[in-house]
């Protein structure tokens, strides 16, 4: 059985946020030859430092997870157009 993306995200207890607005004159994504390039996304709060000294592996995992969710939110906005 094929699952929808929304169903899978719900099973994983993931709620996509509204995609954040890009800074200045930038854009969240561009599509070139049918390929979407997403740019400028990172963990909220823009943490600075190094994994292993400033941040734990667990914190790094959470930063990567929230970044991935933000990227999915950008993709969802485009797919709804």
């Amino acid at each position: 059985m094929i699952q929808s993306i929304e169903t899978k995200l719900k099973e994983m207890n993931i709620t996509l946020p509204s995609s954040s607005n890009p800074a200045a004159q930038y854009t969240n994504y561009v599509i070139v030859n049918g390929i979407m390039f997403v740019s400028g996304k990172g963990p909220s709060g823009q943490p600075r430092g190094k994994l292993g000294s400033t941040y734990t592996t667990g914190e790094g995992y959470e930063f990567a997870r929230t970044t991935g969710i933000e990227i999915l939110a950008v993709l969802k906005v485009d797919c709804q157009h």
Side-chain angles (χ1 to χ4, degrees), residues 3-22:
Q3 267 186 322
S4 75
I5 295 169
E6 295 289 336
T7 301
K8 185 64 178 177
L9 290 171
K10 189 173 184 177
E11 283 179 4
M12 297 172 70
N13 293 319
I14 296 173
T15 302
L16 296 181
S18 298
S19 62
S20 61
N21 294 323

Side-chain angles (χ1 to χ4, degrees), residues 14-75:
I14 296 173
T15 302
L16 296 181
S18 298
S19 62
S20 61
N21 294 323
Q25 297 294 319
Y26 297 103
T27 183
N28 279 330
Y29 66 91
V30 295
I31 299 176
V32 178
N33 296 326
I35 300 171
M36 178 185 274
F37 295 88
V38 178
S39 178
K41 300 299 165 196
S44 60
Q46 301 177 344
R48 301 281 187 241
K50 290 188 177 187
L51 190 61
S53 59
T54 311
Y55 299 104
T56 66
T57 302
E59 289 170 315
Y61 172 87
E62 194 57 34
F63 293 152
R65 182 179 185 277
T66 58
T67 300
I69 290 171
E70 172 68 19
I71 291 169
L72 290 174
V74 169
L75 296 173

